[in-house]
């Protein structure tokens, strides 16, 4: 326990700063508005109010329901400690207005959280009939930003106090002396019983924060596990999380990230926006997985190209006749493409580019016979990547920008391989690029933070990173 509080105190010494991201992790900056929405939604969509306070339909449940502090046998009921109000029976909380949430981030510490609500109390008056009271309550708490035993961000309640506002008699009769006793008792008792609501709210929000620690499958390639790389930081506008993606192959082996070419200059975050920075090494690692799994290799035959794309020795003879030797015309061709090195990814000046080095073996492919090697090419495919975010990932769609080739070897005569570039580009566009786009359907995983939806985020490609920004 001492270690936990020591860690919390340590966090009070650090705050986010603008500058360079020197690690290869994913950076998330969550605006305070998103935290406020998460807290408000926990009250709207969950059973917190019912569980803590009880409801009209569940009078025997909840902290302050019938049989609880203010119910039968409770503090203000018959037999309670105040004999003067023996006639005032069954006073209990029946209604609770949805709290209005306000929060302030405390740099280097956590959150100042306030919940303003109205409480309705029902009971039987001393002169008979229904008695209805209403009280305004403001619950104020200081919440520290910490780390759980699982390694996820966690909000920990450090201090909670309440301020009871105006108490109104809505219906029924209550003599002034009894009203004063009720008022004094509520001032002493009711505020301290609303702090469990804050704990319940934090429990829901901490579950959302816990989704940062998640395992995202990469199809047949492997998986990505997100963990916190460093201590969370907090400013007066946002919480900053340095999230470490651990990429594993399908066999469970951890894949080392390539070192970033240089630190990433993280752009400043505008107010009322949340931001995720996806670094270049994560892109490179996904393409590296595709390469090591053989997903970038392909054998292109007549069946994979449309009829209007030439793929015979006759068509090849029109471009480089010296490459065919004594082969007869009209035979089908087989293009065997192998990628033996990991592709390189470039993110710069608003553009994402993928460069794939490949060896292309060109063979004749008789219908009944053994393929015969003609020549081998060293090729470089340069592809443009269009990026589009969804809720869980960053999607890539590739298109061929250019293809360059050099002759590596020939079983006939040497020739100028550049004469084949236009023809090979047509073949690659119709047969190879669609295959790549199918394989890339795994996308680049995005971390889950407070259910922030980046599907409609503004996307900006900067040097060595992609920045997603969503308005809170």
């Amino acid at each position: 326990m001492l270690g936990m509080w020591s860690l919390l105190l340590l966090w009070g010494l650090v705050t986010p700063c603008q500058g360079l991201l020197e690690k290869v992790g994913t950076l998330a900056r969550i605006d305070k508005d998103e935290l406020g929405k998460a807290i408000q939604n926990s009250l709207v969509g969950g059973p917190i109010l019912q569980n803590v306070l009880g409801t009209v339909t569940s009078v025997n449940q909840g902290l302050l329901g019938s049989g609880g502090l203010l119910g039968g046998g409770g503090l203000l009921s018959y037999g309670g400690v105040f004999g003067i109000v023996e006639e005032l029976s069954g006073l209990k909380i029946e209604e609770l207005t949805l709290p209005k949430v306000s929060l302030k981030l405390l740099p280097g510490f956590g959150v100042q959280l306030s919940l303003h609500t109205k409480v309705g109390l029902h009971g039987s008056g001393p002169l008979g009939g229904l008695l209805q009271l209403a009280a305004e309550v403001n619950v104020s708490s200081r919440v520290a930003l910490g780390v759980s035993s699982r390694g996820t961000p966690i909000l920990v309640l450090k201090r909670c106090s309440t301020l009871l506002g105006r108490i109104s008699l809505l219906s029924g009769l209550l003599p002034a002396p009894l009203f004063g006793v009720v008022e004094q008792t509520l001032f002493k008792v009711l505020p301290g019983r609303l702090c469990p609501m804050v704990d319940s709210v934090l429990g829901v929000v901490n579950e959302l924060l816990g989704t940062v620690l998640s395992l995202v499958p990469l199809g047949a390639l492997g998986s990505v596990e997100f963990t916190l790389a460093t201590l969370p930081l907090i400013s007066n506008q946002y919480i900053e999380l340095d999230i470490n993606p651990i990429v594993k192959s399908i066999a469970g082996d951890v894949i080392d990230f390539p070192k970033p070419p240089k630190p990433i200059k993280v752009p400043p975050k505008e107010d009322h926006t949340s931001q995720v920075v996806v670094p270049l090494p994560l892109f490179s690692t996904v393409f590296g997985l595709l390469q090591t799994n053989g997903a970038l290799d392909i054998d292109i035959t007549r069946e994979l190209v449309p009829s209007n794309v030439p793929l015979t020795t006759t068509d090849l003879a029109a471009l480089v006749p010296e490459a065919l030797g004594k082969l007869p015309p009209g035979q089908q061709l087989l293009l065997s493409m192998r990628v033996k090195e990991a592709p390189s990814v470039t993110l710069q000046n608003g553009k994402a580019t993928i460069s794939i080095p490949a060896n292309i073996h060109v063979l004749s492919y008789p219908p009944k016979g053994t393929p015969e090697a003609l020549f081998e090419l060293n090729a470089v495919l340069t592809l443009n990547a269009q990026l589009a975010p969804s809720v869980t990932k960053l999607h890539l769609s590739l298109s061929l920008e250019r293809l360059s080739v050099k002759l590596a070897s020939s079983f006939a005569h040497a020739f100028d391989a550049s004469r084949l570039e236009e023809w090979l580009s047509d073949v690659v566009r119709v047969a190879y690029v669609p295959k790549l786009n199918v394989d890339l359907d795994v996308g680049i995983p995005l971390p889950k933070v407070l259910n922030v939806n980046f599907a409609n985020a503004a996307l900006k490609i900067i040097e060595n990173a992609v920045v997603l920004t969503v308005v809170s």
Side-chain angles (χ1 to χ4, degrees), residues 250-267:
I250 197 67
D253 299 324
V254 176
I255 307 299
D256 291 332
F257 277 100
K259 293 183 179 180
K262 58 182 177 179
I264 298 169
K265 187 176 182 180
V266 181

Side-chain angles (χ1 to χ4, degrees), residues 185-245:
T185 305
L186 291 180
F187 266 102
K188 294 178 180 178
V189 176
L190 183 57
R193 296 299 173 173
L194 292 181
C195 284
M197 180 168 59
V198 178
D199 255 334
S200 297
V201 167
L202 296 182
V204 174
V205 175
N206 284 335
E207 288 184 10
L208 295 177
L209 288 172
T211 59
V212 170
L213 187 63
S214 59
L215 187 68
V216 182
L218 286 175
L221 301 179
S223 62
V224 175
E225 182 179 3
F226 289 107
T227 62
L228 283 184
T230 60
L231 301 177
L233 307 176
I234 190 165
S235 73
N236 60 354
Q237 289 295 324
Y238 61 89
I239 296 172
E240 182 174 294
L241 303 176
D242 186 2
I243 301 170
N244 181 34

Side-chain angles (χ1 to χ4, degrees), residues 127-199:
L127 303 179
L130 178 65
L131 182 68
Q132 292 181 310
L133 298 170
E136 295 185 6
V137 186
N138 193 69
V139 184
S140 180
S141 57
R142 286 174 67 88
V143 180
L145 178 62
V147 63
S148 72
S149 59
R150 297 172 56 238
T152 60
I154 187 172
L155 296 172
V156 180
L157 182 62
K158 297 295 293 290
R159 190 175 71 205
C160 180
S161 61
T162 55
L163 178 64
L164 191 62
R166 186 169 59 93
I167 300 175
S168 305
L169 179 62
L170 302 180
S171 66
L173 297 175
L174 190 63
L178 287 182
F179 185 88
V181 172
V182 171
E183 187 177 45
Q184 292 176 21
T185 305
L186 291 180
F187 266 102
K188 294 178 180 178
V189 176
L190 183 57
R193 296 299 173 173
L194 292 181
C195 284
M197 180 168 59
V198 178
D199 255 334

Side-chain angles (χ1 to χ4, degrees), residues 20 89 104 131 148 229 274 276 297 319 352 374 400 404 446 461:
L20 302 180
S89 63
K104 177 183 179 181
L131 182 68
S148 72
S274 292
V276 164
D297 299 338
L319 299 172
L374 300 179
L400 182 68
S404 60
L446 298 175
I461 300 174

Side-chain angles (χ1 to χ4, degrees), residues 8 18 35 52 59 141 190 266 290 305:
L8 291 172
Q18 304 294 342
L35 181 59
V52 174
V59 294
S141 57
L190 183 57
V266 181
L290 288 169
V305 298

Side-chain angles (χ1 to χ4, degrees), residues 6 13 22 51 79 111 122 131 136 146 169 177 198 202 324 327 343 347 351 395 413 425 464:
S6 299
L13 302 178
E22 298 186 359
N51 289 345
V111 182
H122 296 181
L131 182 68
E136 295 185 6
L169 179 62
V198 178
L202 296 182
L324 297 181
L327 278 178
L347 300 174
K351 185 177 181 181
H395 298 270
H413 300 284
S425 295
N464 298 326

